[in-house]
Amino acid sequence: MSLKPVCEPRSELFYQAQRNELVLFEQAWRHGLPVLIKGPTGCGKTRFVQHMAQRLNLPLHTVACHDDLSAADLVGRHLIGAQGTWWQDGPLTRAVREGGICYLDEVVEARQDTVVVLHPLADDRRELFLERTGEVLQAPPSFMLVVSYNPGYQNLLKGMKPSTRQRFVAMRFDYPPAAEEAHIVRREAGVDAALAAQVVRLGQALRRLEQHDLEEVASTRLLIFTARMIGAGMNPREACLACLAEPLSDDPVTVAALMDVVDVHFS
């Protein structure tokens, strides 16, 4: 299986800073330090990395990690075709050669033997060893390794080993305060301030139901989807059902309970 990295577009991307993450990320990059971002689903981790790639004018290769992700998917492999055999770089290798950012999203989903490949890049060596070609790549000063994961998904079988985690500068993300989240929703969904604030109030009410059979709470991403649909003229209740209640649970009883909260805010 070949892995095609997602190379993000260079159009302007909006990002609402929460604390000092812009300065911390840039300083880590300038000092050749890898970064680990922890936070719940849809809180802006990927958008932040995209924004920083643009801010630093660096190519960005994003890899969505999963159980079957192998070291070869990251580093590269030999391919066979009509013209013979040739080597094809993986996204991690391309990022090292280009001096860009390699972003591994939900890194704890990858197998441990795959994550070990990152160790020489994430310490003072800053090297990538291509075992199948015998090549050792020295990462240029502009290269940066960034990984992220959702701590809420961790368990005894899936977690980042201390030997890996302690190689990174770590940042913790969360959903923004109501006023800032309303600004994000308004900007991203293209709706007025009143609708954005109303959707955010609904989102905060749904988050208070976290202990009621919900694996995840309503993310900022889902609030943006909801506001965008309502702003386009969709019935608010139908938009909330499709963009909030159904994505949050498969249980009909739980979905009905979520819609009771929706009815309070969009009566």
Side-chain angles (χ1 to χ4, degrees):
M1 180 185 69
S2 62
L3 186 68
K4 183 178 180 181
V6 180
C7 295
E8 273 65 22
R10 306 305 293 180
S11 56
E12 183 68 22
L13 284 172
F14 168 73
Y15 176 76
Q16 176 69 48
Q18 303 301 314
R19 291 178 294 277
N20 67 336
E21 65 267 29
L22 299 178
V23 173
L24 182 57
F25 188 100
E26 184 168 348
Q27 286 300 319
W29 172 70
R30 294 190 182 280
H31 290 87
L33 303 175
V35 165
L36 183 157
I37 304 174
K38 301 181 285 186
T41 299
C43 70
K45 300 188 296 295
T46 298
R47 173 57 65 91
F48 170 66
V49 177
Q50 292 173 322
H51 175 79
M52 292 307 300
Q54 289 189 342
R55 182 185 177 105
L56 299 174
N57 194 29
L58 296 172
L60 173 61
H61 296 273
T62 300
V63 179
C65 297
H66 52 81
D67 290 339
D68 294 326
L69 186 72
S70 68
D73 291 328
L74 288 179
V75 174
R77 51 169 50 87
H78 284 102
L79 300 178
I80 301 175
Q83 304 302 318
T85 302
W86 72 94
W87 173 262
Q88 178 174 283
D89 285 341
L92 178 61
T93 305
R94 281 195 288 274
V96 172
R97 292 192 196 277
E98 295 174 4
I101 296 174
C102 183
Y103 173 46
L104 306 182
D105 188 19
E106 294 298 342
V107 67
V108 295
E109 295 296 326
R111 302 196 310 247
Q112 287 294 343
D113 60 329
T114 300
V115 176
V116 169
V117 173
L118 306 177
H119 284 189
L121 274 174
D123 59 29
D124 291 340
R125 290 171 288 178
R126 286 176 59 84
E127 293 178 344
L128 178 62
F129 178 52
L130 307 183
E131 182 178 0
R132 298 187 182 184
T133 66
E135 188 177 5
V136 178
L137 300 181
Q138 184 69 47
S142 61
F143 169 77
M144 188 175 195
L145 177 64
V146 182
V147 303
S148 73
Y149 68 90
N150 182 348
Y153 286 158
Q154 286 200 97
N155 55 44
L156 292 176
L157 297 178
K158 283 190 176 181
M160 182 171 282
K161 293 172 62 176
S163 60
T164 301
R165 191 168 56 244
Q166 292 187 26
R167 285 172 158 82
F168 290 83
V169 172
M171 304 180 184
R172 183 178 294 272
F173 279 37
D174 205 343
Y175 302 120
E180 294 181 7
E181 189 167 37
H183 176 67
I184 294 169
V185 171
R186 179 182 65 81
R187 174 77 178 260
E188 290 294 290
V191 298
D192 60 42
L195 176 56
Q198 188 176 16
V199 170
V200 168
R201 285 194 297 271
L202 170 60
Q204 292 190 321
L206 293 176
R207 287 170 189 161
R208 289 193 286 271
L209 302 177
E210 181 180 7
Q211 304 303 322
H212 295 267
D213 298 322
L214 290 179
E215 294 182 1
E216 278 284 354
V217 298
S219 67
T220 303
R221 180 190 295 121
L222 289 183
L223 299 185
I224 292 169
F225 291 171
T226 304
R228 190 174 293 161
M229 290 291 197
I230 297 173
M234 190 173 183
N235 177 276
R237 195 176 195 279
E238 293 179 358
C240 292
L241 176 63
C243 298
L244 282 171
E246 290 290 2
L248 288 175
S249 178
D250 293 328
D251 177 40
V253 175
T254 301
V255 170
L258 296 176
M259 291 307 296
D260 287 342
V261 179
V262 169
D263 291 336
V264 171
H265 287 78
F266 284 93
S267 56

